[in-house]
Amino acid sequence: MVKICCIGAGYVGGPTMAVIAYKCPSVEVVVVDISKPRINAWNSEQLPIYEPGLEDVVKKCRGKNLFFSAEIEKHVAKADIIFVSVNTPTKTQGLGAGKAADLTYWETAARLIADVSKSAKIVVEKSTVPVKTAEAIEKILTHNSKGISFQILSNPEFLAGGTAINDLFNPDRVLIGGRETPDGMKAVKALKDIYAHWVPEERIICTNLWSAELSKLAANAFLAQRISSVNAMSALCEATGADVSEVSNAVGKDTRIGPKFLNSSVGFGGSCFQKDILNLVYICECNGLPQVANYWKQVIKVNDYQKTRFVNRVVSSMFNTIANKKIAILGFSFKKDTGDTRETPAIDVCRGLLRDEAQLSIYDPQVPERQIRDDLSMRKLDWEHPGHASSVSFSAPEQISVVTDAYQATEGAHAICILTEWDEFRFLDFQRIYDSMPNPAYIFDGRNIVDVEKLRKIGFIVYSIGKPLDPWLVDMPAVV
Ligand code: UDX
Ligand code: ADP
C-alpha cells in the first residue's frame, strides 16, 4: 500500500488529500498539522473549513484510508510520498518585505522531513512557492539526508475556494514538475500514477521543476489580470453610460478571450492572487526586470483602486457624510460558498467606511464574528511601503456589530453594501427590507447580483458596479 503523508491540514491540504483518499482506496493518506485544534476539528463533526461537498468525501474515507493526526514525525517517517502544504504568506519584514514569500513554515517542514526520514521519499511541493524554492528545499534535504534519497516534485494546486471538490474531481489539468534525471522521472511517474486513478492521462502535464512552479504564479496572475481589466473598464462604463456586463458579454464571445472570469466586482480577494502576483513582482525585480515587475504591479493597483472607488462612491452618494449612519454589510468572505476571508475586499471596504465613522452591521452566512473582528482590527501590510506598517489599524469595536441574518443587518440601515455574491442575497425580500429602512434607502451592489430595475421600482437608490448610474445618485464633489 502506497503511504502518503501531507504536512498542513489547511484549505489546500485538507480537501486535496480527502479527494486522493476517496479516489484511491488502495492508498493510505495521513494529513498532519502542528495545530492540534485543527486536527481535532478534522476528526470531528464540524470540519475546520467550509467547502461544498467536502464533508461527504471526508466522511466516506475517514478512519478507512484517510486519517488526520498531530503526530507529525511518526507519519512523515512512514510515508513514501510527502506533500508539503503549509502556509506561505507574504513576508512582513526584512529583505523582500511586502512581496517575497515567507518560507519559514516550508523550511521547518523540510528540516523535519530530513530529520525523521529513514527511507527514500518523494517530497511534493503543494503550496504556492516562488520559482526555485524546490531547489532550496532540495538543498536542505540533501545536506541533511544521511544518505537517504529525496526526490522533489512541484505539483501546484489549481483548486478555487468554494468549488474545491469539483475542481479536484474534474481538474482542467494536473501539473507535475520534476528533475529530468532517471530518479526524477521515476518520482514523476509515481505521482502521476496516483492522479491517474481518476484524471485522464492527457490532462496530466509533466514539466521541469521551474516550469511547474512558474506556471502556478503565471496562471493566477493571468486570472487576476482579467478581473483588473474588467474592473478598470467598469470605471469607464460608469463615466460614459456603458454597461460593464454588456461589454463583458460582447468581449467574452470572442473565442480567443472566452466568457469566464469577466465579472466586474468590488475587487478580487483570496489567499492566492495578490500573494502570487507580489511573488512574481519580486522575482522579476530580483532578475533585473523592473518593466515586467511594474506591469504586474498594476494588476494589484487597479484592484486596490476598485475597492477605494467603491468606498468613495458610498460616501459621496450619501452627501459626503456617513458618520454615525448604520450601513449593512452583506457578505464578508472573499467569494460565495466559502468562509475564507483572506484578502477579502470586505476588509478594505469596511475599514474605509469605518474611517468615515459609519456604524457597520455585518452579516455573512459562513464567517464567524471572531474572524470578522480579528480581520478588521489587524494591522494591514502596505505592500508598496512595507516599512510603514499600515496606518489603518482599526480599534473601535463599538462601531461594528456582527449579526446572524440579513434582515437584522439591514433593519434601520441607511445603506446596504453587498460585498459577497452569496446566493441567498439574490432572494431576499427587498420590499420588507426597504420598509424597515429610512429614506433615501441605498443599495451599493459590489457583486452585480441584484435586479436593479426591480429595486428601483421599490424605491431604492441603487448603485451597481460598472452600470449606468442611478439618476437619483448624487455625486458630491469630494471634500478636499
Ligand atoms: C484562485 C485560482 O482560481 C485557483 O486556480 C488557485 O488555485 C487559487 O487562487 P480562489 O482565489 O480560491 O482561486 O478563487 P477564484 O474563484 O479564483 O476567485 C478569486 C477572487 O476573484 C474572488 O474574490 C472572486 O470573487 C473574484 N472574481 C472572480 C471576480 O471578481 N470576478 C470574476 O469574474 C471572477
Ligand atoms: P493553504 O490555504 O495554503 O492550505 P492554510 O493556512 O489553510 O494554507 O493551511 C496551512 C496549514 O499548515 C495550517 O493548518 C498550519 O497549521 C500548517 N502548518 C504550517 N507549518 C507547519 C509545519 N511545520 N508542520 C505542520 N503543519 C504546519
Side-chain angles (χ1 to χ4, degrees):
M1 199 178 202
V2 176
K3 285 188 163 48
I4 290 181
C5 176
C6 174
I7 305 180
Y11 283 93
V12 172
T16 309
M17 292 305 122
V19 168
I20 290 183
Y22 179 73
K23 293 288 188 183
C24 312
S26 60
V27 174
E28 184 190 275
V29 182
V30 184
V31 191
V32 297
D33 203 290
I34 33 170
S35 161
K36 287 211 171 86
R38 207 160 228 209
I39 290 298
N40 292 341
W42 279 107
N43 283 319
S44 75
E45 287 299 299
Q46 184 75 46
L47 301 185
I49 60 176
Y50 172 71
E51 210 30 84
L54 175 65
E55 201 177 291
D56 197 36
V57 174
V58 169
K59 282 191 173 158
K60 283 195 173 116
C61 317
R62 199 171 51 189
K64 291 185 189 137
N65 67 332
L66 174 66
F67 304 91
F68 296 92
S69 168
E71 292 180 280
I72 305 180
E73 300 188 0
K74 178 175 132 191
H75 294 290
V76 166
K78 280 198 213 159
D80 306 300
I81 303 177
I82 302 164
F83 285 81
V84 183
S85 194
V86 298
N87 22 351
T88 50
T90 305
K91 267 183 92 169
T92 53
Q93 48 192 358
L95 190 66
K99 296 196 195 90
D102 180 347
L103 294 179
T104 316
Y105 301 100
W106 233 110
E107 189 174 337
T108 310
R111 287 185 190 282
L112 180 128
I113 296 171
D115 280 351
V116 305
S117 293
K118 296 196 173 61
S119 56
K121 310 275 180 216
I122 297 173
V123 179
V124 185
E125 182 186 85
K126 196 69 189 166
S127 10
T128 311
V129 282
V131 184
K132 302 246 160 172
T133 302
E135 193 172 60
I137 302 304
E138 201 172 40
K139 285 197 177 120
I140 295 176
L141 289 173
T142 41
H143 281 299
N144 298 285
S145 72
K146 297 164 273 180
I148 291 164
S149 142
F150 291 105
Q151 279 305 319
I152 318 293
L153 301 179
S154 168
N155 173 218
E157 190 47 73
F158 293 105
L159 62 81
T163 53
I165 298 301
N166 190 43
D167 296 342
L168 287 161
F169 276 17
N170 306 297
D172 287 343
R173 78 305 209 184
V174 167
L175 188 52
I176 303 174
R179 286 267 182 222
E180 288 148 314
T181 58
D183 283 347
M185 289 188 303
K186 228 167 102 188
V188 169
K189 161 108 182 28
L191 186 56
K192 196 174 167 185
D193 287 347
I194 299 282
Y195 284 107
H197 279 82
W198 78 99
V199 181
E201 176 149 8
E202 64 277 10
R203 290 206 200 158
I204 306 179
I205 307 173
C206 301
T207 66
N208 74 29
L209 269 179
W210 326 136
S211 301
E213 288 181 319
L214 184 56
S215 300
K216 170 69 192 244
L217 296 187
N220 276 345
F222 276 46
L223 289 168
Q225 181 210 43
R226 274 175 84 95
I227 302 168
S228 280
S229 298
V230 78
N231 282 344
M233 284 299 159
S234 75
L236 187 57
C237 286
E238 286 168 32
T240 57
D243 180 328
V244 76
S245 303
E246 292 176 357
V247 174
S248 293
N249 182 44
V251 169
K253 286 281 190 259
D254 186 324
T255 50
R256 293 168 302 176
I257 297 173
K260 292 184 184 166
F261 253 72
L262 287 177
N263 291 327
S264 182
S265 68
V266 62
F268 60 73
S271 69
C272 285
F273 283 175
Q274 172 155 323
K275 185 185 80 178
D276 288 357
I277 293 177
L278 288 173
N279 250 315
L280 195 59
V281 166
Y282 184 65
I283 295 168
C284 293
E285 285 172 351
C286 292
N287 284 285
L289 301 168
Q291 291 83 352
V292 185
N294 285 336
Y295 172 76
W296 288 111
K297 261 188 207 170
Q298 286 306 317
V299 173
I300 303 183
K301 286 192 178 172
V302 168
N303 197 47
D304 286 341
Y305 165 70
Q306 188 76 344
K307 292 180 272 187
T308 309
R309 207 168 74 73
F310 187 85
V311 172
N312 291 349
R313 181 66 79 183
V314 174
V315 179
S316 68
S317 306
M318 296 171 77
F319 319 112
N320 270 340
T321 170
I322 54 169
N324 299 319
K325 288 182 182 163
K326 176 175 174 179
I327 298 185
I329 303 293
L330 298 187
F332 198 83
S333 59
F334 81 98
K335 62 188 273 200
K336 74 169 181 177
D337 292 339
T338 175
D340 193 348
T341 61
R342 288 176 292 178
E343 302 295 339
T344 177
I347 296 177
D348 287 337
V349 170
C350 288
R351 283 169 192 262
L353 299 173
L354 290 167
R355 231 175 291 137
D356 257 70
E357 298 178 68
Q359 291 285 337
L360 300 186
S361 184
I362 306 175
Y363 165 64
D364 186 285
Q366 282 298 333
V367 184
E369 174 163 1
R370 183 73 268 141
Q371 184 67 48
I372 294 176
R373 290 195 181 275
D374 283 355
D375 285 338
L376 291 177
S377 60
M378 216 124 62
R379 287 177 89 78
K380 197 171 157 19
L381 181 73
D382 179 348
W383 63 271
E384 273 208 287
H385 310 99
H388 326 151
S390 163
S391 55
V392 282
S393 141
F394 175 76
S395 55
E398 65 284 358
Q399 265 178 271
I400 305 166
S401 65
V402 179
V403 298
T404 52
D405 83 84
Y407 297 104
Q408 210 183 335
T410 51
E411 190 174 359
H414 291 260
I416 299 170
C417 296
I418 299 175
L419 301 185
T420 314
E421 73 282 20
W422 286 99
D423 288 339
E424 66 175 75
F425 300 154
R426 293 174 196 268
F427 306 110
L428 291 170
D429 179 348
F430 281 103
Q431 183 66 57
R432 173 179 161 194
I433 288 175
Y434 180 77
D435 293 342
S436 77
M437 292 172 67
N439 267 326
Y442 297 89
I443 293 193
F444 299 92
D445 183 1
R447 297 287 182 169
N448 285 352
I449 57 168
V450 299
D451 181 338
V452 177
E453 284 319 307
K454 202 170 124 195
L455 295 192
R456 285 191 185 144
K457 270 200 195 114
I458 292 175
F460 283 105
I461 297 176
V462 187
Y463 164 75
S464 269
I465 288 196
K467 306 268 183 169
L469 293 180
D470 193 312
W472 291 98
L473 208 60
V474 185
D475 197 7
M476 300 280 286
V479 179
V480 184

